[in-house]
Each structure stands twice: as C-alpha cells, then as structure tokens.
C-alpha cells in the first residue's frame, strides 16, 4: 500500500479540478452555457466589486452597492468572477479579507436581477454560475476571512461560508433567509454550512430557528471571533491584524499550505496524499526552506 502511494499515478478528475482552478464545475454537458448567462447578467447593472492588493500580501475585496445593502447585481456577479480570476494569478498574495461597504456585508441578490431571472431555467443557470465562482473562490491559495459588519443575508450569508474564516462586529447578523423567499440556498451555502457547523446546527440556522447574531454565531463555531469595534475603518484594521497571524512567511509557502488543506478537504485520502507530496516538491529545497535550515534550530520561538 505504501509503495503504491509513492508511485506517480494519473490525476483523477477531482484532482485535476483542484489543480486547475479555472476549470468549471459545470459545462455544456450539464446544460450550462456560461457566455449566455453572462449576457443575461450584464442586463442588471449597479454597484461594484472592488479589489485592493496590499504590499503585505493581504487583499481586500469589497462588495460596494451600499444603497441596496451591497446586494449583488448581475454586473457585480460578473465582476466577482473577474476578481477571483485576478486573485488566482496574484502570486504575491497570501491572505484576503471580504467585506461590504458602509457597515453592511451583503444582502444577497438584487431583487431586480431576481425578478428578471424568475423562471426555473434561469434560476438553475444562475445557481451553476455562482457555484462555479464561489468554488473557485474557496480554492484560492489565499487564507480568506469574511468580515461581517451589519447584515449578511441570503446569498451574502452563503458567501461568508466560502471563506476560510469569519469575523463579526458586535452588531453583525447572519441570516439564511432563503426559506422565507420560497427557495433554498443555491450558491453552495448549504453544503459548506454543514461542513462548518454540522448538520444539526445547519438545520437550525437554515430553518430560521436559530438566529445568528454575533453571540450565537460565536457559540456554535460559525465565526472565530467577535471584534471589539463596530466602526467600519477600525473593524477592518482589527481584521487585518487578526489575519496577519496566519500569513507570516513567504507567499509560496502560505499558498502551498492553503492548497494542501483544500486538497485534504475535497479529495479522497490517496489523492490528497499524492497532492500533498506534489505541493511539497514546490517548496522543499526552496529559498524559505534553506533559510530556515541555516538558522540556529528547527524552531525559533
């Protein structure tokens, strides 16, 4: 068994998807025609998705549509995909903070887009488009954290689950309001929520029986920490400081670490082990490794 694991074997489809993050979960064989979906989404303007890349390797992704509590317009959904592709190619990146403008995270989909895409075929196409985008986001080789200020509703709540971690301000609230809209989460939120808090707690949250204010979210493990400040600028500073503990070191090591964790989550055991081996080959004997070996001891506290 050990010998077989060490042999180079053909990559499975799942492993290829993980390695090649630009590949979509869905394609024409699933009835998904991406260019057609993009044309429809382009018809619903409003807001922006902004990306700021700092010299310290932290990116700040801001959902900017404050007049609608940062709801996703069709154009913003397209911009999110563009920013994810940009982040996939940011080789100096190590961490990412996702936030909303003006002290709200995101209120889900803009109702103008929802009304314009009301038939089942359009709903399925939008589901596949956003699942593709948020799965690529989740696989980014960056350690990500959602900064939940104010409301994270519907699709906004789903977006928080695509991040590695979540932080909340004291007044923050997360609500999966899909049931009240006569639907279920469709951007991958249910699947990821079960992974984060377990099936029993997920049922409570999705049914609305458990309301996620900052205290409840912390108690069930939905968020890592409740920040001290509710001020937009100060809470962002707190989030940046919190994230720094995870990104000390060179980008190639941090990125390989995140990729390895992603493979452990998504792949079968043998595939994950082989992927871990391949990732090790990208850093073993590299500059950071050789520098660490040259220092006094194995661990410097």
């Amino acid at each position: 068994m050990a010998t077989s694991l060490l042999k180079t074997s053909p990559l499975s489809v799942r492993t290829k998807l993980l390695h090649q993050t630009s590949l979509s979960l869905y394609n024409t064989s699933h009835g998904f025609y991406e260019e057609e979906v993009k044309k429809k989404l382009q018809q619903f303007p409003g807001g922006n998705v902004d990306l700021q890349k700092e010299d310290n390797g932290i990116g700040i992704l801001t959902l900017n549509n404050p007049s609608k509590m940062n709801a996703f317009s069709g154009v913003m959904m397209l911009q999110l995909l563009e920013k994810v592709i940009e982040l996939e190619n940011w080789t100096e990146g190590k961490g990412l903070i996702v936030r909303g403008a003006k002290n709200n995270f995101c209120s889900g989909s803009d109702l103008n887009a929802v009304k314009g895409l009301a038939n089942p075929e359009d709903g399925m196409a939008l589901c596949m488009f956003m699942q593709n985008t948020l799965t690529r986001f989740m696989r980014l080789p960056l350690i990500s954290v959602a900064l939940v200020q104010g409301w994270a509703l519907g699709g906004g709540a789903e977006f928080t689950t695509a991040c590695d971690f979540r932080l909340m301000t004291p007044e923050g609230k997360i609500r999966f309001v899909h049931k009240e809209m006569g639907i279920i989460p469709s951007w991958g939120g249910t699947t990821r929520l079960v992974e984060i808090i377990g099936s029993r707690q997920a049922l409570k949250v999705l049914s609305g029986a458990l309301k996620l204010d900052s205290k409840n979210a912390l108690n069930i493990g939905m968020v890592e920490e409740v920040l001290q400040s509710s001020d937009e600028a100060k809470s962002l500073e707190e989030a940046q400081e919190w994230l720094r503990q995870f990104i000390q070191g060179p980008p190639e090591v941090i990125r390989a670490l995140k990729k390895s964790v992603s493979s452990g989550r998504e792949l079968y055991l043998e595939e994950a082990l082989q992927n871990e081996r391949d990732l090790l080959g990208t850093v073993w004997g590299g500059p950071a490794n050789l520098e660490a070996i040259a220092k006094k001891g194995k661990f410097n506290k």
Side-chain angles (χ1 to χ4, degrees), residues 31-99:
F32 177 64
Y33 299 90
E34 184 171 316
E35 293 308 312
E36 291 183 12
V37 178
K38 286 181 176 180
K39 287 178 183 177
K40 289 186 178 181
L41 292 176
Q42 196 69 48
Q43 299 171 21
F44 305 101
N48 292 288
V49 177
D50 303 319
L51 176 61
Q52 179 181 348
K53 294 184 285 190
E54 305 284 352
D55 292 338
N56 61 4
I58 293 179
I60 301 172
L61 187 77
T62 304
L63 308 177
N64 196 344
N65 193 10
S67 65
K68 296 188 176 181
M69 293 174 62
N70 303 318
F72 271 102
S73 66
V75 167
M76 287 175 67
M77 293 178 191
L78 296 174
Q79 290 180 353
L80 178 62
L81 176 58
E82 292 170 0
K83 300 307 181 186
V84 169
I85 293 170
E86 184 176 347
L87 288 166
E88 287 172 347
N89 294 291
W90 185 30
T91 56
E92 296 303 310
K94 299 189 284 185
L96 181 69
I97 297 171
V98 183
R99 62 191 285 267

Side-chain angles (χ1 to χ4, degrees), residues 84-299:
V84 169
I85 293 170
E86 184 176 347
L87 288 166
E88 287 172 347
N89 294 291
W90 185 30
T91 56
E92 296 303 310
K94 299 189 284 185
L96 181 69
I97 297 171
V98 183
R99 62 191 285 267
K102 305 297 182 184
N103 265 332
N104 272 305
F105 185 78
C106 174
S107 60
S109 299
D110 183 350
L111 286 179
N112 289 331
V114 172
K115 291 173 182 176
L117 301 168
N119 66 63
E121 291 77 17
D122 285 340
M124 288 286 286
L126 179 60
C127 164
M128 290 187 279
F129 181 85
M130 289 303 291
Q131 283 190 8
N132 278 345
T133 300
L134 290 181
T135 299
R136 288 177 70 168
F137 176 90
M138 184 177 66
R139 291 173 176 167
L140 285 171
L142 307 169
I143 298 175
S144 60
V145 58
L147 171 56
V148 182
Q149 302 163 289
W151 289 96
L153 297 171
E158 291 194 68
F159 194 177
T160 70
T161 67
C163 295
D164 299 312
F165 301 106
R166 285 146 296 281
L167 301 173
M168 290 180 80
T169 58
E171 287 79 26
K173 294 179 177 63
I174 300 174
R175 295 282 193 279
F176 291 80
V177 295
H178 306 77
K179 187 186 75 170
E180 283 71 23
M181 299 297 294
I183 57 172
I184 63 171
S186 59
W187 296 0
T190 299
T191 302
R192 294 187 298 265
L193 186 66
V194 169
E195 182 181 354
I196 294 166
I197 60 174
S199 59
R200 290 175 62 251
Q201 297 287 18
L203 277 173
K204 294 177 186 177
V205 171
L206 294 173
S207 68
L210 178 59
K211 311 293 185 186
L212 289 183
D213 57 18
S214 58
K215 181 180 178 181
N216 287 337
L218 184 64
N219 286 341
I220 67 169
M222 181 69 180
V223 302
E224 300 299 314
E225 191 172 310
V226 178
L227 302 178
Q228 295 294 315
S229 178
S230 294
D231 178 78
E232 185 175 12
K234 290 180 180 178
S235 59
L236 178 57
E237 290 175 5
E238 283 189 65
Q240 289 174 303
E241 184 61 33
W242 186 89
L243 183 56
R244 285 190 188 100
Q245 65 185 309
F246 296 95
I247 61 166
Q248 299 300 317
E252 64 271 18
V253 176
I254 304 300
R255 293 165 68 83
L257 185 99
K258 171 63 186 291
K259 289 178 182 178
S260 183
V261 169
S262 293
S263 71
R265 176 180 59 218
E266 294 192 48
L267 301 179
Y268 297 120
L269 176 61
E270 186 165 337
E271 295 170 329
L273 290 172
Q274 291 170 354
N275 195 53
E276 186 176 297
R277 173 204 62 195
D278 294 342
L279 288 168
L280 176 65
T282 68
V283 293
W284 187 283
N289 179 227
L290 295 177
E291 182 182 348
I293 292 172
K295 288 180 178 178
K296 290 182 182 179
K298 204 171 182 182
F299 304 103

